[in-house]
Amino acid sequence: MTATDIAATTAPPILEVRNMRKAYGNMPILKGVSCTLNQGDVMCVLGGSGSGKTTLLRCIAQLERYQGGSVVVDGELMGIAEKGGRFYRLSERQIARQRLKTGMVFQKFNLFSHMTAMQNVMEGPVHVLSVPPEEARSEACRLLEWVGLGERMDHYPAQLSGGQQQRVAIARALAMKPKVMLFDEPTSALDPESVGRVLAVMKQVAATGMSMIVVTHEMGFAREVASRVLFMDHGVIAEDAPSAQFFSAPSHPRAADFLASTLGARVQTN
Amino acid sequence: MSAEMQLDDHSTIIERGRYRMVMSLVVVLAFVAWLVHAFAVSDIEWKYVSHFLMVRTIMQGVAATLFMAVSAMLLGVVIGLIFAIVQQSGNPVWKTVAAGYVWLFRGTPVILQLLLWFNLALVFPHIWVPGYGSVQTVQLMTPFLSALLGLGLNQGAYITEIMRSGLTSVDKGQYEACCMIGMTRLQALRRVILPQALRVVIPPLGNEFISMIKLTSLSSMIQYPEILHSAQNIYYANARVIELLLVTGFWYLAIVTVLMPVQYFLEKRINRGWSG
């Protein structure tokens, strides 16, 4: 906490979202969202369903087009270029190159189903970064062992459990050496037993100093690992606070309600 | 005495349906025997059939049929793939062009398309070919080229639909995962989307190829020397019509029979990674 606070005052943020606006047709999803992520921060995005948290993450990843606002990752304006006072959308190729700065872990894993775990992790380094296959293989090997799947490298996704697939997906994203890792409800599609192991790997990733944005419903993870919490409600940020402060004394009434209901539900299930 | 008392582990239970199976076998065998008899006592001279089976002209016809089927199929696959990708691109102009192509070529008989290509000179007397300059269309539109364009473009319209269903069968998340490891659209298509679409596309493509083998017989109408055309040339001379038609029938069946296991193994191979 203190370390990142000091870093924040000296280094520029690794990711900055300014005034993001996004609507599907007439339905506004994001109504001007701004936030910054400092190097090494873990930011958990909380909020009820439909609050816009997944959309925010997808806009940051340039998977959605937004009507207004900007995303700057590692000092680079994403998806748009300014020329003579006008803004132009970058070509698909340029955006693809920019996306190398961000890695993403999806709710439904999205592993390439015709490739083994090993091939999934090697795919990007070999075919996008042009890393020699042998080098990529040993790196993929190391990563898969690191996420605890050393014995499952040659399995196809269909032969792996949901939790195992998600850990391969994390390894696949890390293999591209991104500046920021984006997690889109990474444990929502998992059985309770797998959830713990995936969260453990995510904790491991955070411990390496990776900057992370995690959209999640896992309150325990947010409380324990996150340095900051972004609470979203109906397309705006209702609260943006250090994690400890958010969980002990949420300032926004919606956030307080949300905490009471989710943590309450958790007590009941226990 | 009740049934439960008699039924023990050693009792044999007579299954139902055996009698019916034997009866149907008798009926089918009787029909086949009648058919064989009819052919045997008819005027067919079987020695002509066996004589012309491997004759040079017929063998060349078999080769021409195979060559045309493969070429037209390849053309169809390339066109179908391009139009299917274009349809998904979201560019409304190209989408309409693709839809128009499918509408036109699926909506008219193949034989008509073959005849139109063969008689293209009536519309365009001269065609400008890059590298050659202006060429007389009559000379350019040989039976081979007419048949290739007619069959290939018609096939392409059907394959567009097959490819489209294949592409849409791949989950959108696969494409997004490609994006997030920095792939371009084309890379994603080549490395991830197409290999997965193949699984859906191979069985109907196999069917299309088998039907293409037989469709090539239509190009006999425009003088392309495939099996049927070769057989016709022979029976115009010797009047052994039914014998030579049986020869062509034999070859079509032979080709399709060889292709069926090929299709089976291809489908098995493409299904790796899905069936546990």
Coordinates of all heavy atoms in Angstrom, one line a residue, chain A residues 71-154:
Chain A
V71 N -8.5 5.9 -23.5 CA -7.7 5.0 -22.6 C -6.3 5.2 -23.0 O -5.9 5.2 -24.2 CB -8.1 3.5 -23.0 CG1 -7.3 2.6 -22.1 CG2 -9.6 3.3 -22.8
V72 N -5.4 5.4 -22.0 CA -4.0 5.5 -22.2 C -3.3 4.4 -21.4 O -3.5 4.3 -20.2 CB -3.5 6.9 -21.7 CG1 -1.9 6.9 -21.9 CG2 -4.1 8.0 -22.6
V73 N -2.6 3.5 -22.1 CA -1.9 2.5 -21.4 C -0.4 2.7 -21.6 O 0.0 2.8 -22.8 CB -2.3 1.1 -21.9 CG1 -1.6 0.0 -21.2 CG2 -3.8 0.9 -21.8
D74 N 0.3 2.7 -20.6 CA 1.8 2.9 -20.6 C 2.2 4.0 -21.5 O 3.1 3.9 -22.4 CB 2.4 1.5 -21.2 CG 3.9 1.5 -21.0 OD1 4.4 2.1 -20.1 OD2 4.5 0.8 -21.8
G75 N 1.4 5.1 -21.4 CA 1.8 6.4 -22.1 C 1.3 6.4 -23.5 O 1.5 7.4 -24.3
E76 N 0.5 5.3 -24.0 CA 0.1 5.3 -25.4 C -1.4 5.4 -25.5 O -2.1 4.6 -24.8 CB 0.6 4.0 -26.0 CG 0.4 4.0 -27.5 CD 1.1 2.9 -28.2 OE1 2.0 2.3 -27.6 OE2 0.8 2.6 -29.4
L77 N -1.9 6.3 -26.3 CA -3.4 6.5 -26.4 C -3.9 5.3 -27.3 O -3.4 5.0 -28.4 CB -3.7 7.8 -27.2 CG -5.2 8.1 -27.4 CD1 -5.9 8.2 -26.1 CD2 -5.3 9.3 -28.3
M78 N -4.9 4.6 -26.7 CA -5.3 3.3 -27.4 C -6.4 3.5 -28.4 O -7.4 4.2 -28.1 CB -5.8 2.3 -26.3 CG -4.8 2.0 -25.2 SD -3.5 0.9 -25.8 CE -4.3 -0.7 -25.7
G79 N -6.2 2.9 -29.6 CA -7.3 2.8 -30.6 C -7.5 4.1 -31.4 O -8.2 4.0 -32.4
I80 N -7.0 5.2 -31.0 CA -7.2 6.5 -31.6 C -5.9 7.2 -31.8 O -5.0 7.1 -31.0 CB -8.2 7.3 -30.8 CG1 -9.5 6.6 -30.6 CG2 -8.5 8.7 -31.4 CD1 -10.4 7.1 -29.5
A81 N -5.9 8.0 -32.9 CA -4.7 8.8 -33.1 C -5.2 10.3 -33.4 O -6.3 10.5 -34.0 CB -3.9 8.4 -34.3
E82 N -4.5 11.2 -32.9 CA -4.8 12.6 -33.1 C -4.0 13.2 -34.2 O -2.7 13.0 -34.2 CB -4.6 13.4 -31.8 CG -5.3 14.7 -31.8 CD -4.4 15.9 -31.7 OE1 -3.6 15.9 -30.7 OE2 -4.4 16.8 -32.5
K83 N -4.6 13.9 -35.2 CA -3.8 14.4 -36.3 C -4.5 15.8 -36.6 O -5.7 15.8 -37.0 CB -3.9 13.5 -37.5 CG -2.6 13.5 -38.3 CD -2.9 12.6 -39.5 CE -1.7 12.0 -40.1 NZ -2.1 11.0 -41.1
G84 N -3.8 16.8 -36.4 CA -4.3 18.2 -36.8 C -5.6 18.5 -36.1 O -6.5 19.0 -36.7
G85 N -5.7 18.1 -34.8 CA -6.9 18.5 -34.1 C -8.1 17.6 -34.3 O -9.1 17.7 -33.7
R86 N -7.9 16.6 -35.2 CA -9.0 15.6 -35.4 C -8.6 14.2 -34.9 O -7.4 13.9 -34.8 CB -9.3 15.5 -36.9 CG -10.1 16.7 -37.4 CD -10.1 16.6 -39.0 NE -11.1 17.5 -39.5 CZ -12.2 17.2 -40.2 NH1 -12.3 15.9 -40.5 NH2 -13.0 18.1 -40.6
F87 N -9.6 13.4 -34.6 CA -9.3 12.1 -34.1 C -9.6 11.0 -35.1 O -10.7 11.0 -35.6 CB -10.0 11.9 -32.7 CG -9.5 12.8 -31.7 CD1 -10.3 13.9 -31.4 CD2 -8.4 12.5 -31.0 CE1 -9.8 14.8 -30.4 CE2 -7.9 13.4 -30.0 CZ -8.6 14.6 -29.7
Y88 N -8.7 10.1 -35.3 CA -8.9 9.1 -36.3 C -8.8 7.7 -35.6 O -8.0 7.5 -34.7 CB -7.9 9.1 -37.4 CG -8.0 10.4 -38.2 CD1 -7.2 11.5 -37.9 CD2 -8.8 10.4 -39.3 CE1 -7.3 12.6 -38.6 CE2 -8.9 11.6 -40.1 CZ -8.1 12.7 -39.7 OH -8.2 13.8 -40.5
R89 N -9.7 6.8 -36.0 CA -9.5 5.4 -35.4 C -8.3 4.8 -36.1 O -8.1 4.8 -37.3 CB -10.8 4.6 -35.7 CG -10.9 3.4 -34.7 CD -12.2 2.7 -34.8 NE -13.3 3.5 -34.4 CZ -13.7 3.8 -33.1 NH1 -12.9 3.3 -32.1 NH2 -14.7 4.5 -32.8
L90 N -7.5 4.1 -35.3 CA -6.3 3.4 -35.8 C -6.8 2.2 -36.6 O -7.9 1.7 -36.5 CB -5.4 3.0 -34.7 CG -4.7 4.1 -33.9 CD1 -3.9 3.4 -32.8 CD2 -3.8 4.9 -34.8
S91 N -5.9 1.7 -37.5 CA -6.2 0.5 -38.3 C -6.2 -0.7 -37.4 O -5.6 -0.7 -36.3 CB -5.1 0.3 -39.3 OG -3.9 -0.2 -38.7
E92 N -6.9 -1.7 -37.8 CA -7.0 -2.9 -37.1 C -5.6 -3.5 -36.7 O -5.4 -4.0 -35.6 CB -7.8 -3.9 -37.9 CG -8.3 -5.1 -37.3 CD -7.6 -6.3 -37.9 OE1 -7.1 -6.2 -39.0 OE2 -7.5 -7.3 -37.2
R93 N -4.7 -3.3 -37.6 CA -3.3 -3.8 -37.4 C -2.6 -3.1 -36.3 O -1.9 -3.6 -35.4 CB -2.5 -3.7 -38.7 CG -1.1 -4.3 -38.7 CD -0.6 -4.3 -40.1 NE -1.3 -5.2 -40.9 CZ -0.9 -6.5 -41.0 NH1 0.1 -7.0 -40.3 NH2 -1.6 -7.4 -41.8
Q94 N -2.8 -1.7 -36.3 CA -2.2 -0.9 -35.2 C -2.8 -1.2 -33.9 O -2.1 -1.3 -32.9 CB -2.4 0.6 -35.6 CG -1.5 1.1 -36.7 CD -2.0 2.4 -37.2 OE1 -3.1 2.6 -37.5 NE2 -1.0 3.3 -37.4
I95 N -4.1 -1.4 -33.8 CA -4.8 -1.7 -32.6 C -4.3 -3.1 -32.1 O -4.1 -3.2 -30.9 CB -6.3 -1.7 -32.7 CG1 -6.8 -0.3 -33.0 CG2 -7.0 -2.2 -31.5 CD1 -8.3 -0.2 -33.3
A96 N -4.1 -4.0 -33.0 CA -3.6 -5.3 -32.6 C -2.3 -5.2 -31.9 O -2.0 -5.9 -30.9 CB -3.5 -6.3 -33.8
R97 N -1.4 -4.3 -32.4 CA -0.1 -4.2 -31.9 C -0.2 -3.5 -30.5 O 0.5 -3.9 -29.5 CB 0.8 -3.3 -32.8 CG 2.2 -3.3 -32.5 CD 3.0 -2.3 -33.2 NE 2.4 -0.9 -33.0 CZ 2.5 -0.3 -31.9 NH1 3.2 -0.8 -30.9 NH2 2.0 0.9 -31.8
Q98 N -1.1 -2.5 -30.4 CA -1.3 -1.8 -29.1 C -1.8 -2.8 -28.0 O -1.5 -2.7 -26.8 CB -2.3 -0.7 -29.2 CG -1.8 0.5 -29.9 CD -2.7 1.7 -29.8 OE1 -4.0 1.5 -29.8 NE2 -2.2 2.9 -29.8
R99 N -2.7 -3.8 -28.4 CA -3.3 -4.7 -27.5 C -2.2 -5.5 -26.8 O -2.5 -6.2 -25.8 CB -4.3 -5.6 -28.2 CG -5.6 -4.9 -28.4 CD -6.7 -6.0 -28.5 NE -7.9 -5.5 -29.0 CZ -8.3 -5.6 -30.2 NH1 -7.6 -6.2 -31.1 NH2 -9.5 -5.1 -30.6
L100 N -1.0 -5.6 -27.3 CA 0.1 -6.4 -26.7 C 0.4 -5.8 -25.3 O 0.9 -6.5 -24.5 CB 1.3 -6.3 -27.5 CG 1.2 -7.1 -28.9 CD1 2.5 -6.9 -29.7 CD2 1.0 -8.5 -28.6
K101 N 0.0 -4.6 -25.0 CA 0.3 -4.0 -23.7 C -0.7 -4.6 -22.7 O -0.4 -4.5 -21.5 CB 0.1 -2.5 -23.8 CG 1.2 -1.8 -24.5 CD 1.0 -0.3 -24.5 CE 2.0 0.5 -25.4 NZ 3.3 0.4 -24.8
T102 N -1.8 -5.1 -23.1 CA -2.8 -5.6 -22.2 C -3.0 -7.1 -22.4 O -3.1 -7.5 -23.5 CB -4.2 -4.9 -22.3 OG1 -4.6 -5.0 -23.7 CG2 -4.1 -3.4 -21.9
G103 N -3.1 -7.8 -21.3 CA -3.5 -9.3 -21.4 C -4.8 -9.4 -20.8 O -5.2 -8.7 -19.9
M104 N -5.6 -10.4 -21.3 CA -7.0 -10.5 -20.8 C -7.3 -12.0 -20.5 O -6.9 -12.9 -21.2 CB -8.0 -10.0 -21.8 CG -9.4 -10.0 -21.3 SD -10.2 -8.5 -21.6 CE -11.9 -8.9 -21.4
V105 N -8.0 -12.1 -19.3 CA -8.5 -13.4 -18.9 C -10.0 -13.3 -18.9 O -10.5 -12.5 -18.3 CB -7.9 -13.8 -17.5 CG1 -8.5 -15.1 -17.0 CG2 -6.4 -13.9 -17.6
F106 N -10.6 -14.2 -19.7 CA -12.1 -14.1 -19.9 C -12.8 -15.0 -18.9 O -12.3 -16.0 -18.4 CB -12.4 -14.6 -21.3 CG -11.8 -13.8 -22.4 CD1 -10.6 -14.1 -22.9 CD2 -12.5 -12.7 -22.9 CE1 -10.0 -13.4 -23.9 CE2 -11.9 -11.9 -23.9 CZ -10.7 -12.3 -24.4
Q107 N -14.1 -14.6 -18.7 CA -15.0 -15.4 -17.8 C -15.1 -16.9 -18.4 O -15.0 -17.8 -17.6 CB -16.4 -14.8 -17.8 CG -17.3 -15.5 -16.9 CD -18.7 -14.8 -16.8 OE1 -18.9 -13.7 -17.4 NE2 -19.6 -15.4 -16.1
K108 N -15.2 -17.0 -19.7 CA -15.4 -18.3 -20.2 C -14.1 -18.9 -20.8 O -14.1 -19.6 -21.8 CB -16.5 -18.3 -21.3 CG -17.9 -18.2 -20.6 CD -19.0 -18.6 -21.4 CE -19.5 -17.5 -22.3 NZ -20.5 -17.8 -23.3
F109 N -13.0 -18.5 -20.3 CA -11.6 -19.0 -20.6 C -11.2 -18.7 -22.1 O -10.1 -18.2 -22.3 CB -11.4 -20.5 -20.4 CG -12.3 -21.0 -19.3 CD1 -13.1 -22.2 -19.5 CD2 -12.5 -20.4 -18.0 CE1 -13.9 -22.6 -18.5 CE2 -13.3 -20.9 -17.1 CZ -14.0 -22.0 -17.3
N110 N -12.1 -19.1 -23.0 CA -11.7 -18.9 -24.5 C -10.4 -19.5 -24.9 O -9.7 -18.9 -25.7 CB -11.8 -17.4 -24.8 CG -13.2 -16.9 -24.7 OD1 -14.2 -17.6 -24.6 ND2 -13.3 -15.5 -24.7
L111 N -10.0 -20.6 -24.4 CA -8.8 -21.3 -24.8 C -9.1 -21.8 -26.3 O -10.2 -22.1 -26.6 CB -8.5 -22.5 -24.0 CG -8.0 -22.2 -22.6 CD1 -7.5 -23.5 -21.9 CD2 -6.8 -21.3 -22.7
F112 N -8.1 -21.8 -27.1 CA -8.2 -22.3 -28.5 C -8.5 -23.8 -28.4 O -7.6 -24.5 -28.0 CB -7.0 -22.0 -29.3 CG -6.6 -20.5 -29.3 CD1 -5.3 -20.1 -29.1 CD2 -7.6 -19.5 -29.5 CE1 -5.0 -18.7 -29.1 CE2 -7.3 -18.2 -29.5 CZ -6.0 -17.8 -29.3
S113 N -9.7 -24.2 -28.8 CA -10.1 -25.6 -28.4 C -9.4 -26.6 -29.3 O -9.4 -27.8 -29.0 CB -11.6 -25.7 -28.5 OG -12.1 -25.0 -29.6
H114 N -8.8 -26.2 -30.4 CA -8.1 -27.2 -31.3 C -6.6 -27.3 -30.9 O -5.8 -27.9 -31.7 CB -8.3 -26.8 -32.7 CG -7.7 -25.5 -33.1 ND1 -8.0 -24.3 -32.5 CD2 -6.8 -25.2 -34.1 CE1 -7.3 -23.3 -33.0 NE2 -6.6 -23.8 -34.0
M115 N -6.2 -26.6 -29.8 CA -4.8 -26.6 -29.5 C -4.6 -27.2 -28.0 O -5.5 -26.9 -27.2 CB -4.2 -25.2 -29.5 CG -4.2 -24.6 -30.9 SD -3.4 -23.0 -30.8 CE -3.8 -22.3 -32.4
T116 N -3.5 -27.8 -27.8 CA -3.2 -28.3 -26.4 C -2.9 -27.1 -25.5 O -2.7 -26.0 -26.0 CB -2.0 -29.2 -26.4 OG1 -0.9 -28.5 -26.8 CG2 -2.3 -30.4 -27.3
A117 N -2.8 -27.3 -24.2 CA -2.5 -26.2 -23.3 C -1.2 -25.6 -23.7 O -1.1 -24.4 -23.8 CB -2.4 -26.8 -21.9
M118 N -0.2 -26.4 -24.0 CA 1.1 -25.9 -24.4 C 1.0 -25.1 -25.7 O 1.5 -23.9 -25.7 CB 2.0 -27.1 -24.7 CG 3.3 -26.8 -25.3 SD 4.3 -25.8 -24.2 CE 5.2 -27.0 -23.3
Q119 N 0.3 -25.5 -26.7 CA 0.1 -24.8 -27.9 C -0.6 -23.5 -27.7 O -0.3 -22.5 -28.3 CB -0.6 -25.6 -29.0 CG 0.2 -26.8 -29.5 CD -0.6 -27.8 -30.3 OE1 -1.8 -28.0 -30.0 NE2 0.0 -28.4 -31.2
N120 N -1.6 -23.5 -26.8 CA -2.3 -22.3 -26.4 C -1.4 -21.2 -25.9 O -1.4 -20.0 -26.3 CB -3.4 -22.6 -25.4 CG -4.7 -22.8 -26.0 OD1 -5.4 -21.8 -26.3 ND2 -5.1 -24.0 -26.2
V121 N -0.5 -21.6 -25.0 CA 0.4 -20.6 -24.4 C 1.5 -20.2 -25.4 O 1.9 -19.0 -25.4 CB 1.1 -21.2 -23.2 CG1 2.0 -20.2 -22.5 CG2 0.0 -21.7 -22.2
M122 N 1.9 -21.1 -26.3 CA 3.0 -20.8 -27.3 C 2.5 -19.9 -28.5 O 3.3 -19.3 -29.1 CB 3.6 -22.1 -27.9 CG 4.5 -22.8 -27.0 SD 5.0 -24.4 -27.7 CE 5.9 -23.8 -29.2
E123 N 1.2 -20.0 -28.7 CA 0.6 -19.4 -30.0 C 1.0 -18.0 -30.2 O 1.5 -17.6 -31.2 CB -0.9 -19.6 -29.9 CG -1.6 -19.0 -31.2 CD -1.3 -19.8 -32.5 OE1 -0.7 -21.0 -32.3 OE2 -1.5 -19.3 -33.6
G124 N 0.8 -17.2 -29.1 CA 1.1 -15.7 -29.2 C 2.5 -15.4 -29.4 O 2.9 -14.8 -30.4
P125 N 3.4 -15.9 -28.5 CA 4.8 -15.7 -28.6 C 5.4 -16.1 -30.0 O 6.1 -15.3 -30.6 CB 5.4 -16.5 -27.5 CG 4.4 -16.6 -26.5 CD 3.1 -16.6 -27.2
V126 N 5.0 -17.2 -30.5 CA 5.5 -17.7 -31.8 C 5.0 -17.0 -33.0 O 5.7 -16.5 -33.8 CB 5.3 -19.2 -31.9 CG1 5.7 -19.7 -33.3 CG2 6.1 -20.0 -30.9
H127 N 3.7 -16.8 -33.0 CA 3.0 -16.3 -34.2 C 2.8 -14.8 -34.2 O 2.5 -14.2 -35.2 CB 1.8 -17.0 -34.6 CG 2.0 -18.4 -35.0 ND1 1.9 -19.5 -34.1 CD2 2.5 -18.9 -36.2 CE1 2.3 -20.6 -34.8 NE2 2.6 -20.3 -36.0
V128 N 2.9 -14.1 -33.1 CA 2.7 -12.7 -33.0 C 4.1 -12.0 -32.7 O 4.5 -11.1 -33.4 CB 1.7 -12.3 -32.0 CG1 1.5 -10.8 -31.9 CG2 0.3 -12.9 -32.4
L129 N 4.8 -12.5 -31.7 CA 6.0 -11.9 -31.3 C 7.2 -12.5 -32.0 O 8.4 -12.0 -31.8 CB 6.2 -12.0 -29.8 CG 5.1 -11.5 -28.9 CD1 5.4 -11.7 -27.4 CD2 5.0 -10.0 -29.1
S130 N 7.0 -13.5 -32.8 CA 8.1 -14.2 -33.6 C 9.2 -14.7 -32.7 O 10.4 -14.6 -33.1 CB 8.6 -13.3 -34.7 OG 7.6 -12.8 -35.5
V131 N 8.9 -15.2 -31.5 CA 9.9 -15.8 -30.7 C 10.2 -17.2 -31.3 O 9.3 -17.9 -31.7 CB 9.3 -16.0 -29.2 CG1 10.2 -16.8 -28.3 CG2 9.0 -14.7 -28.6
P132 N 11.5 -17.6 -31.3 CA 11.8 -18.9 -31.8 C 11.0 -20.0 -31.0 O 10.9 -19.9 -29.8 CB 13.3 -19.1 -31.5 CG 13.8 -17.7 -31.4 CD 12.7 -16.9 -30.9
P133 N 10.4 -21.0 -31.7 CA 9.6 -22.0 -31.1 C 10.2 -22.7 -29.9 O 9.5 -22.9 -28.9 CB 9.3 -23.0 -32.2 CG 9.4 -22.2 -33.5 CD 10.5 -21.2 -33.2
E134 N 11.4 -23.0 -30.0 CA 12.1 -23.7 -28.8 C 12.1 -22.8 -27.6 O 11.8 -23.3 -26.5 CB 13.5 -24.2 -29.2 CG 13.5 -25.5 -29.9 CD 12.5 -26.5 -29.3 OE1 12.5 -26.8 -28.1 OE2 11.6 -26.9 -30.1
E135 N 12.4 -21.6 -27.8 CA 12.4 -20.6 -26.7 C 11.0 -20.5 -26.1 O 10.8 -20.5 -24.9 CB 12.9 -19.3 -27.2 CG 13.5 -18.4 -26.2 CD 14.0 -17.1 -26.9 OE1 14.9 -17.2 -27.8 OE2 13.5 -16.0 -26.5
A136 N 10.0 -20.3 -27.0 CA 8.6 -20.2 -26.6 C 8.2 -21.4 -25.8 O 7.4 -21.3 -24.8 CB 7.7 -19.9 -27.8
R137 N 8.6 -22.6 -26.3 CA 8.2 -23.8 -25.6 C 8.7 -23.9 -24.2 O 8.0 -24.2 -23.3 CB 8.7 -25.0 -26.4 CG 8.4 -26.3 -25.8 CD 8.8 -27.5 -26.7 NE 8.1 -27.5 -27.9 CZ 6.9 -28.1 -28.1 NH1 6.4 -28.7 -27.0 NH2 6.3 -28.0 -29.2
S138 N 10.0 -23.5 -24.0 CA 10.5 -23.6 -22.6 C 9.9 -22.6 -21.7 O 9.6 -22.9 -20.5 CB 12.0 -23.5 -22.6 OG 12.4 -22.3 -23.1
E139 N 9.6 -21.4 -22.3 CA 8.9 -20.4 -21.5 C 7.5 -20.8 -21.1 O 7.0 -20.7 -20.0 CB 8.9 -19.1 -22.3 CG 8.1 -17.9 -21.6 CD 8.7 -17.4 -20.3 OE1 9.8 -17.9 -19.9 OE2 8.0 -16.6 -19.6
A140 N 6.8 -21.4 -22.1 CA 5.4 -21.9 -21.9 C 5.4 -23.0 -20.8 O 4.5 -23.1 -20.0 CB 4.8 -22.4 -23.2
C141 N 6.4 -23.8 -20.9 CA 6.6 -24.9 -20.0 C 6.7 -24.3 -18.5 O 6.1 -24.8 -17.6 CB 7.9 -25.7 -20.3 SG 7.9 -27.4 -19.9
R142 N 7.6 -23.3 -18.4 CA 7.8 -22.7 -17.1 C 6.5 -22.1 -16.6 O 6.1 -22.3 -15.4 CB 8.9 -21.6 -17.3 CG 9.4 -21.0 -16.0 CD 10.3 -19.8 -16.2 NE 9.6 -18.7 -16.8 CZ 8.8 -17.9 -16.0 NH1 8.6 -18.1 -14.7 NH2 8.2 -16.8 -16.6
L143 N 5.8 -21.4 -17.5 CA 4.6 -20.7 -17.1 C 3.5 -21.8 -16.6 O 2.8 -21.6 -15.6 CB 4.0 -19.9 -18.2 CG 4.6 -18.5 -18.3 CD1 4.2 -17.8 -19.6 CD2 4.2 -17.6 -17.2
L144 N 3.4 -22.8 -17.4 CA 2.4 -23.8 -17.1 C 2.7 -24.5 -15.8 O 1.8 -24.8 -15.0 CB 2.2 -24.9 -18.2 CG 1.4 -24.3 -19.4 CD1 1.6 -25.3 -20.6 CD2 0.0 -24.2 -19.1
E145 N 4.0 -24.7 -15.5 CA 4.4 -25.3 -14.2 C 4.1 -24.3 -13.1 O 3.6 -24.6 -12.0 CB 5.8 -25.7 -14.2 CG 6.0 -27.1 -14.6 CD 7.4 -27.4 -15.0 OE1 8.4 -26.6 -14.7 OE2 7.6 -28.5 -15.7
W146 N 4.3 -23.0 -13.4 CA 4.1 -22.0 -12.4 C 2.6 -21.9 -12.0 O 2.3 -21.5 -10.9 CB 4.5 -20.6 -13.0 CG 4.7 -19.5 -12.1 CD1 5.6 -19.4 -11.1 CD2 3.9 -18.3 -12.0 NE1 5.4 -18.2 -10.4 CE2 4.4 -17.5 -10.9 CE3 2.8 -17.9 -12.7 CZ2 3.8 -16.3 -10.6 CZ3 2.2 -16.7 -12.4 CH2 2.7 -15.9 -11.3
V147 N 1.7 -22.1 -13.0 CA 0.2 -22.1 -12.6 C -0.2 -23.5 -12.1 O -1.4 -23.7 -12.0 CB -0.7 -21.6 -13.8 CG1 -0.3 -20.2 -14.1 CG2 -0.6 -22.5 -15.0
G148 N 0.7 -24.4 -12.0 CA 0.4 -25.7 -11.4 C -0.1 -26.7 -12.4 O -0.9 -27.7 -12.0
L149 N 0.2 -26.6 -13.7 CA -0.3 -27.5 -14.7 C 0.8 -28.2 -15.4 O 0.6 -28.6 -16.6 CB -1.2 -26.8 -15.7 CG -2.6 -26.3 -15.1 CD1 -3.3 -25.4 -16.0 CD2 -3.4 -27.5 -14.7
G150 N 1.9 -28.4 -14.8 CA 3.1 -29.1 -15.4 C 2.7 -30.4 -16.0 O 3.3 -30.8 -17.0
E151 N 1.7 -31.1 -15.4 CA 1.4 -32.5 -15.9 C 0.3 -32.4 -17.0 O 0.0 -33.5 -17.5 CB 1.0 -33.4 -14.8 CG 2.2 -34.1 -14.2 CD 2.3 -33.9 -12.7 OE1 1.3 -34.2 -12.0 OE2 3.3 -33.4 -12.2
R152 N -0.2 -31.3 -17.3 CA -1.4 -31.2 -18.2 C -1.0 -30.5 -19.5 O -1.9 -30.1 -20.2 CB -2.6 -30.5 -17.5 CG -3.0 -31.2 -16.2 CD -3.9 -32.3 -16.5 NE -4.1 -33.2 -15.4 CZ -5.2 -33.8 -15.1 NH1 -6.2 -33.7 -15.9 NH2 -5.3 -34.6 -14.1
M153 N 0.2 -30.3 -19.8 CA 0.6 -29.5 -20.9 C 0.1 -30.0 -22.2 O -0.2 -29.2 -23.1 CB 2.2 -29.4 -21.0 CG 2.8 -28.7 -19.9 SD 4.5 -28.6 -20.1 CE 5.0 -28.0 -18.5
D154 N 0.0 -31.3 -22.4 CA -0.4 -31.8 -23.7 C -1.9 -32.2 -23.8 O -2.3 -32.9 -24.6 CB 0.5 -33.0 -24.1 CG 1.9 -32.6 -24.2 OD1 2.2 -31.5 -24.8 OD2 2.8 -33.3 -23.8

